[in-house]
Amino acid sequence: SPRGETPAPEERAARSRRRPEGKVACGAGPGAMPGRGALCLGLLLPVLLGCGSAQPGGCPALCECSEPARTVKCVNRNLTAVPPDLPPYVRSLFITGNPLSDLPAGAFPAQRLPDLASLNLSGNHLRTVEAGSLALPALRQLDLSGNALVSFSPLAFGEGGSPLEELALRGALRDHGVLLSLAALLQSGALRNLSRLELADNGLLLLPAGMFTALPALRQLDLSNNSLVGLRNVSFQGLGQLQSLNLSDNSLSVLWNSTLAQFRSLPMLRHIVLRHNTWVCDCAIEDLVAWLKESDQVEGKEALTCASPDKMLGKALLKINASDLNCSVPVDLPSQLQTSYVFLGIVLALIGAIFLLVLYLNRKGIKKWMHNIRDACRDHMEGYHYRYEINADPRLTNLSSNSDV
């Protein structure tokens, strides 16, 4: 209406129908207040931005979350650190295929992640696992496979015990120092609930002595695809629950009687895998062959064959007889060394006796030879004495120098 005039009743009713009372119209056009569009945009902008950011209990920006399944996956997201805003409902967490190099203390806060039970950190670039980095109250499964670890703190699971039941370290223990740290962790008793331990694909030659003595609940032990040359320093005592032992694809040439006795003493051990080892079929393998023939613990024992010597190459261990090995007595290295020392002593004594006998038989000639040497030495000394007397007397010296005699 013109300035100063009152609108007609019909016009006021039409305006009320176009803009309901109590609502503000944003933007330009009929019914919009001047400047209200900018005001509404300022109010909506924070809301729109908030929809794209992680809220408490939400999902990190680079991860995929499923609250019904209580699962979070951060796979191949180029993460260099553990996301700090993981939702507290998570039970299964996958952080794999990332350039993650360090696992510091408090990387997984126990207060924020009280239900985290399964943690997969495989295929990253982890090098250090610091003390307290895995101190989670509900952690049952941990996979660190495919990482080039160089430092693994024995206190990684905290100062108290851990409920961990499954630990996978396939291809993660190439550094010898990490192996020693893991042995110290296992021997400390912090993982007494561990039932499955996977140490395959690590190129291990020997295992630290007593490495498994503090694992009373262990049921499955995987040592396959390493380079183990012997188990003499490995103790399986105390593993009363052990059911499966995988020693395939190693460099074992023989299993000594002390190791076989430990296998016999484990009541639950029913699955031992020994395929693809370099068995040396000489006299030392007699105990292993006898054990294979009487034991039902070894899977696929019919396929075990000799790798050396050449005359036994490819022969099945179960078909070896004592006549094939041509062993009159059991071979024992310490007894062999003792026999060698005795034989060496006898030879030296015999040589000494022969030498004394030769001296005795030639005693007269030796006596005459000694007299001749004595006379020659006496004549030589008298010549020295005569020259000394001449040199000491000046008259004899002048005489000898002026004389033609």
Side-chain angles (χ1 to χ4, degrees), residues 275-286:
R275 62 176 179 268
H276 300 156
N277 279 280
T278 55
W279 305 112
V280 178
C281 296
D282 55 12
C283 295
I285 208 170
E286 275 191 320

Side-chain angles (χ1 to χ4, degrees), residues 274-328:
L274 297 174
R275 62 176 179 268
H276 300 156
N277 279 280
T278 55
W279 305 112
V280 178
C281 296
D282 55 12
C283 295
I285 208 170
E286 275 191 320
D287 292 334
L288 174 59
V289 171
W291 174 70
L292 288 175
K293 291 180 178 180
E294 69 181 21
S295 174
D296 59 352
Q297 296 174 295
V298 182
E299 293 183 357
K301 59 183 179 180
E302 297 81 6
L304 301 181
T305 59
C306 302
S308 62
D310 293 339
K311 66 176 182 178
M312 302 289 288
L313 181 63
K315 187 176 181 64
L317 266 61
L318 290 179
K319 296 182 179 180
I320 294 177
N321 299 317
S323 58
D324 298 326
L325 301 176
N326 193 23
C327 300
S328 56

Side-chain angles (χ1 to χ4, degrees), residues 33-368:
M33 297 180 63
R36 287 294 176 87
L39 177 62
C40 291
L41 181 61
L43 293 175
L44 290 175
L45 186 58
V47 177
L48 294 175
L49 293 177
C51 294
S53 62
Q55 302 295 322
C59 186
L62 297 177
C63 301
E64 300 175 1
C65 305
S66 173
E67 187 170 357
R70 306 181 71 177
T71 301
V72 175
K73 295 183 178 180
C74 310
V75 180
N76 299 327
R77 295 296 184 175
N78 204 32
L79 296 175
T80 58
V82 177
D85 50 353
L86 293 169
Y89 62 75
V90 62
R91 287 180 59 90
S92 299
L93 176 59
F94 298 83
I95 303 178
T96 63
N98 294 285
L100 191 64
S101 61
D102 183 37
L103 210 59
F108 302 97
Q111 297 80 6
R112 292 194 67 254
L113 305 172
D115 299 327
L116 183 56
S118 177
L119 178 58
N120 191 331
L121 296 172
S122 62
N124 292 298
H125 295 80
L126 279 176
R127 294 178 62 83
T128 59
V129 179
E130 300 180 9
S133 58
L134 298 169
L136 292 164
L139 189 61
R140 298 292 188 275
Q141 299 174 338
L142 175 62
D143 192 346
L144 291 171
S145 302
N147 289 288
L149 296 177
V150 296
S151 175
F152 196 114
S153 173
L155 297 176
F157 297 92
E159 296 183 358
S162 172
L164 192 68
E165 296 177 357
E166 297 184 12
L167 177 59
L169 291 166
R170 179 181 289 269
L173 302 177
R174 298 286 178 173
D175 187 272
H176 185 66
V178 176
L179 177 62
L180 297 179
S181 299
L182 176 65
L185 170 64
L186 298 179
Q187 291 172 339
S188 68
L191 301 180
R192 296 186 64 84
N193 296 317
L194 200 65
S195 62
R196 181 175 177 270
L197 179 59
E198 185 177 351
L199 302 177
D201 301 333
N202 285 304
L204 304 177
L205 289 174
L206 293 172
L207 296 174
M211 183 174 179
F212 310 118
T213 54
L215 301 175
L218 193 64
R219 290 186 173 88
Q220 299 178 18
L221 178 58
D222 188 355
L223 295 169
S224 63
N225 201 24
N226 284 292
S227 301
L228 295 174
V229 295
L231 298 174
R232 251 187 167 176
N233 62 325
V234 181
S235 175
F236 297 96
Q237 297 296 334
L239 303 181
Q241 301 299 318
L242 188 63
Q243 300 175 2
S244 174
L245 176 60
N246 193 341
L247 293 168
S248 63
D249 296 282
N250 278 282
S251 300
L252 297 173
S253 60
V254 67
L255 292 180
W256 297 99
N257 203 21
S258 57
T259 302
L260 301 177
Q262 293 186 58
F263 290 163
R264 294 189 188 99
S265 66
L266 299 177
M268 305 293 291
L269 186 57
R270 287 292 177 267
H271 304 283
I272 303 177
V273 185
L274 297 174
R275 62 176 179 268
H276 300 156
N277 279 280
T278 55
W279 305 112
V280 178
C281 296
D282 55 12
C283 295
I285 208 170
E286 275 191 320
D287 292 334
L288 174 59
V289 171
W291 174 70
L292 288 175
K293 291 180 178 180
E294 69 181 21
S295 174
D296 59 352
Q297 296 174 295
V298 182
E299 293 183 357
K301 59 183 179 180
E302 297 81 6
L304 301 181
T305 59
C306 302
S308 62
D310 293 339
K311 66 176 182 178
M312 302 289 288
L313 181 63
K315 187 176 181 64
L317 266 61
L318 290 179
K319 296 182 179 180
I320 294 177
N321 299 317
S323 58
D324 298 326
L325 301 176
N326 193 23
C327 300
S328 56
V329 294
V331 175
D332 186 62
L333 186 59
S335 63
Q336 279 187 335
L337 293 176
Q338 185 177 3
T339 304
S340 300
Y341 292 145
V342 172
F343 180 74
L344 179 60
I346 294 174
V347 171
L348 292 177
L350 183 60
I351 293 174
I354 293 174
F355 180 72
L356 293 176
L357 180 61
V358 171
L359 292 179
Y360 176 76
L361 295 176
N362 294 277
R363 60 187 183 279
K364 293 182 179 180
I366 294 174
K367 186 176 180 180
K368 183 179 180 181

